[in-house]
Amino acid sequence: MRIGLPTTLFQDVPIEKAVEKLFKLGVECIEVVFDIPHFPPEKRGIEDLRRLKKALTQYGLPLSVHSCFYELNLGGIYQAVRNFTLKEIRKCLKFAGLIEAEVVTVHPGYFPIHDDEVLLKKAMERFTEDLNLCLKFSKEENVQLSLENIQSPYFLFSKLESAPEIVKKVKDLTITLDVGHAYIMECSSRKRSVEKKIAEKIENILGKKIGHLHIHDNFGVKDEHLVPGDGKINFKPIIKALRKTGYNNQVIVEAWNPRRSVDTGIKALKRVKTLFT
């Protein structure tokens, strides 16, 4: 497994400098976050992206890309919103192909009315239709498309147990397992042995469907993106379950502290390397 950090750890400097800083921390891979502040909408033109290729690939590190997600909604109610979302994600996938990224993570769409089964079913149909288009685009760029679980029930992929049905409808899609998000969702159901429940779902439900991994800590209430060990999550049973599935791809530590970026990055890498040793 290769352990790395996202470019947003250094959000106050240009993307080229952020990648340089990550390299100096000793990362084994880098996740490029294709959204603000490094990639505002006006800087997503193909010529802008081509100019960045050398800066992002010069270190020879494996790359992944986190697709844009702010104000976007795959499978949204309004066709104009869906069209715009697909347009921006396609730009991201072209960029990922340009820098030869291994995988692109996308967020699921969201729909606020989950107590109406008819409306929710239609939302899921729109969502999987859009995901299939994204998958088509990703294959054109020769990158793997991976869907991330989000920690809010308003999103159309928040529960790990819904992954098989989505993957069945969107073949060749993989799952970006976000451990911090999964922990919040399990805590919200007031279950005991939360980490054990997540581990069981990794082994029995997700298995080989996991294509990418985000790891960070919290206290089970909100998405804090703490360094593992600074929150409540016991990662040991989760990592044990991941090993049983044979997972051996990138591990992105999504710890974030803009006031202490370097210290946070150093501590995050050290802690996670220890966890996986």
Side-chain angles (χ1 to χ4, degrees), residues 6-19:
T7 51
T8 44
L9 182 65
F10 296 104
Q11 65 175 31
D12 57 340
V13 298
I15 183 67
E16 300 94 328
K17 191 67 175 178
V19 172

Side-chain angles (χ1 to χ4, degrees), residues 128-230:
T128 53
E129 180 182 331
D130 287 355
L131 265 184
N132 272 304
L133 282 172
C134 290
L135 188 68
K136 176 178 177 289
F137 301 153
S138 72
K139 289 183 176 182
E140 290 173 0
E141 303 301 333
N142 197 32
V143 294
Q144 177 64 53
L145 188 74
S146 198
L147 179 67
E148 180 177 359
N149 58 298
I150 302 299
Q151 76 286 354
S152 166
Y154 292 125
F155 281 81
L156 297 171
F157 179 43
S158 59
K159 297 180 179 179
L160 299 181
E161 53 266 37
S162 63
E165 186 63 24
I166 295 173
V167 173
K168 181 180 178 181
K169 294 176 180 176
V170 190
K171 293 179 181 178
D172 298 325
L173 179 74
T174 60
I175 299 300
T176 292
L177 171 63
D178 189 298
V179 176
H181 294 170
Y183 184 75
I184 293 169
M185 285 302 298
E186 290 295 330
C187 285
S188 69
S189 62
R190 301 183 183 278
K191 292 178 180 177
R192 294 182 180 179
S193 304
V194 169
E195 294 91 344
K196 184 179 178 181
K197 295 290 184 185
I198 294 172
E200 289 172 353
K201 291 178 181 181
I202 289 171
E203 286 188 55
N204 302 323
I205 298 174
L206 298 180
K208 298 293 185 181
K209 298 180 182 70
I210 303 172
H212 196 53
L213 183 65
H214 288 166
I215 187 168
H216 51 94
D217 212 340
N218 59 64
F219 286 90
V221 179
K222 61 181 181 179
D223 198 22
E224 297 171 272
H225 285 269
L226 302 174
V227 172
D230 286 357

